[in-house]
């Protein structure tokens, strides 16, 4: 299998050797050993710092999509109302999950590259009165960092839970779970945390736990069993001790750098990528500068190129970037500069290769 010296995919990102080594350690049984639960509790405390919350944070096996499904199934029953705030594949995806589960769904959607006006969201929420409002902080297919902070007040006024996917932003952009009124904040291991795609996490408010008690969902992706699982030393399934050890290392490195320093590092490489693309005559997908994500940059495939041709030309030069999904497939390509890839020298090399390819060198 071919590897690439300039890896700028938007996740799963490159995993540092230090984190990979955790997977080579021999551990005991995570079901039985007290050391495992000490490790879990330490990692949870570090996650609370990262996510700026006093609420419990669950840590579960499985790629991030598992906790997105788990959050919806844990809090809502068929027929319950869900309001999905969307400007992309994952924002709309929350609504599609609800529809697949038999819920009454309404989607507030912005045109390509923008975000719905808070007044429009509030009007829909107050007329629809959903049990849950969902949103995505970083909509990776469009390189968008969405202004989700006002949604907490809207959800509170409407009597709804607020569920936010910050899978691709937390650690690379400011996330204020409690300050923004987020009842369920969702995270995955393979983005800014720079780990394998094997863990998913959820910060859960008291109001959300109460909603879960009403539903009492007990499937593999259920959140409710994790409320007391560690305290009772009885988890719903065999855990991945190696992944948890790698998570601890990642969080220690990130918090050791300092959150503000990490935010600054991500913003600098993102700004550099946008400036270089603009200088090449490549158009960005987001409609406004303030919506551009610090963790992934989305740009329109240049005129005269197809995504397949551009991707092939870059890979011949040892560079891997990402395409996009849904209505943006074939129209948008993405540069992932998150976590271990938020490295200025790496991004400079990538931009140089892209400029050479587009210039026919």
């Amino acid at each position: 299998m071919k590897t690439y010296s300039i890896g700028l995919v938007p996740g799963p990102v490159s995993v540092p050797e230090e984190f990979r080594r955790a997977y080579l350690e021999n551990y005991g049984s995570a079901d039985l050993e007290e050391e495992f639960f000490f490790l879990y509790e330490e990692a949870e405390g570090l996650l609370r710092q990262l996510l700026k919350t006093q609420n419990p944070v669950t840590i579960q096996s499985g790629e991030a999509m598992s906790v997105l499904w788990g959050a919806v199934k844990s809090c809502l029953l068929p027929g319950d109302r869900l309001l999905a705030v969307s400007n992309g594949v994952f924002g709309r995806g929350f609504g599609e999950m609800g529809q697949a589960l038999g819920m009454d769904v309404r989607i507030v959607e912005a045109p390509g590259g923008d975000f719905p006006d808070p007044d429009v969201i509030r009007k829909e929420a107050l007329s629809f009165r959903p049990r849950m409002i969902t949103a995505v902080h970083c909509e990776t297919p469009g390189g968008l960092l969405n202004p989700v902070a006002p949604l907490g007040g809207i959800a509170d006024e409407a009597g709804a839970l607020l569920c936010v996917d910050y899978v691709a932003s937390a650690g690379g952009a400011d996330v204020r779970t409690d300050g923004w009124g987020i009842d369920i904040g969702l995270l995955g291991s393979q983005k800014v945390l720079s780990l394998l795609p094997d863990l998913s996490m959820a910060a859960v408010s008291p109001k959300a736990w109460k909603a879960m008690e009403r539903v009492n969902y007990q499937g593999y992706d259920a959140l409710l069993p994790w409320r007391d699982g560690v305290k009772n030393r009885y988890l719903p399934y065999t855990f991945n001790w190696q992944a948890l050890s790698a998570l601890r290392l990642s969080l220690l490195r990130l918090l050791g750098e300092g959150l503000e320093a990490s935010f600054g590092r991500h913003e600098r490489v993102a700004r550099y990528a946008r400036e270089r693309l603009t200088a090449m005559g490549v158009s960005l997908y987001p409609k406004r500068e303030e919506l551009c994500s610090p963790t992934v940059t989305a740009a329109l495939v240049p005129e005269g190129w197809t995504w397949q041709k551009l991707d092939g030309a870059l890979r011949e030069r040892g560079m891997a970037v990402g395409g996009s999904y849904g209505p943006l497939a074939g129209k948008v390509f993405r540069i992932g500069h998150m976590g271990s890839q938020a490295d200025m020298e790496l991004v400079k090399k990538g931009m140089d290769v892209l400029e050479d390819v587009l210039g026919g060198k």
Side-chain angles (χ1 to χ4, degrees):
M1 182 177 292
K2 188 173 181 180
T3 59
Y4 298 92
S5 59
I6 305 173
L8 290 170
V9 296
V13 303
S14 176
V15 180
E17 182 181 352
E18 176 190 3
F19 305 162
R20 297 198 305 270
R21 282 200 299 266
Y23 286 84
L24 303 179
E25 296 291 336
N26 287 322
Y27 293 105
S29 169
D31 294 321
L32 301 174
E33 311 223 9
E34 194 67 9
E35 290 84 355
F36 168 80
F37 293 103
F38 290 155
L39 178 62
Y40 186 107
E41 288 167 338
E42 181 183 0
E44 182 187 0
L46 296 171
L47 283 166
R48 288 179 181 175
Q49 294 179 52
L50 171 65
L51 304 176
K52 297 183 179 178
T53 183
Q54 297 299 312
N55 294 327
V57 181
T58 68
I59 309 170
Q60 299 143 263
S61 292
E63 194 274 334
M65 282 303 299
S66 65
V67 81
L68 269 66
W69 278 99
V72 175
K73 288 191 279 187
S74 293
C75 293
L76 300 177
L77 292 167
D80 285 346
R81 295 176 179 176
L82 184 152
L83 179 66
V85 179
S86 170
N87 62 349
V89 170
F90 290 106
R92 173 166 279 273
F94 269 124
E96 292 170 347
M97 287 179 197
Q99 290 168 345
L101 296 167
M103 291 150 197
D104 184 3
V105 173
R106 189 174 293 181
I107 299 175
V108 180
E109 196 151 31
D114 214 329
F115 190 72
D117 186 292
D119 290 337
V120 173
I121 299 169
R122 180 178 180 273
K123 182 179 179 180
E124 287 290 333
L126 294 180
S127 65
F128 188 49
R129 294 288 174 175
R131 282 189 178 269
M132 177 184 282
I133 297 173
T134 60
V136 176
H137 191 210
C138 178
E139 182 70 54
T140 50
L144 297 156
L145 189 74
N146 294 320
V148 298
L151 300 184
I154 294 171
D156 189 58
E157 191 175 356
L161 296 173
L162 176 60
C163 178
V164 173
D165 164 355
Y166 39 53
V167 170
S169 58
D174 196 11
V175 166
R176 305 183 183 188
T177 303
D178 293 354
W180 293 346
I182 297 172
D183 292 296
I184 312 173
L186 308 176
L187 181 62
S189 55
Q190 74 272 24
K191 302 289 188 176
V192 178
L193 294 177
S194 305
L195 299 171
L196 297 175
D198 53 10
L199 291 178
S200 55
M201 292 139 269
V204 184
S205 75
K207 189 165 65 171
W209 287 124
K210 187 173 181 180
M212 292 176 197
E213 290 175 356
R214 178 185 75 96
V215 174
N216 198 32
Y217 172 58
Q218 297 293 321
Y220 184 86
D221 54 357
L223 292 175
L224 185 59
W226 294 87
R227 181 179 57 181
D228 300 315
V230 174
K231 181 179 70 175
N232 294 335
R233 300 307 197 238
Y234 189 79
L235 299 182
Y237 49 72
T238 300
F239 206 88
N240 185 336
W241 192 320
Q242 284 81 0
L244 189 63
S245 179
L247 174 62
R248 172 185 173 273
L249 293 173
S250 171
L251 291 166
L252 286 173
R253 176 185 287 189
L254 183 57
L255 293 169
E257 177 185 5
L259 290 180
E260 293 300 326
S262 178
F263 303 157
R265 172 167 58 92
H266 282 80
E267 185 51 52
R268 284 191 295 275
V269 296
R271 188 183 309 113
Y272 178 82
R274 295 194 299 267
E275 289 172 352
R276 288 291 301 272
L277 287 166
T278 300
M280 295 175 211
V282 177
S283 299
L284 302 176
Y285 176 72
K287 296 296 185 186
R288 294 177 276 136
E289 176 77 15
E290 60 267 29
L291 290 178
C292 290
S293 171
T295 57
V296 57
T297 294
L300 301 183
V301 174
E303 188 175 349
W305 291 83
T306 64
W307 159 240
Q308 290 76 12
K309 181 180 176 182
L310 178 61
D311 184 42
L314 292 174
R315 287 175 185 266
E316 285 180 6
R317 300 287 295 271
M319 179 178 175
V321 298
S324 197
Y325 305 108
L328 301 184
K331 301 175 183 178
V332 164
F333 71 100
R334 300 176 295 154
I335 299 161
H337 35 70
M338 61 182 73
S340 61
Q341 296 171 190
D343 177 274
M344 187 61 80
E345 289 306 310
L346 177 67
V347 175
K348 284 181 177 178
K349 288 178 182 177
M351 292 299 99
D352 289 345
V353 169
L354 179 61
E355 186 172 16
D356 285 350
V357 165
L358 295 181
K361 295 182 182 180

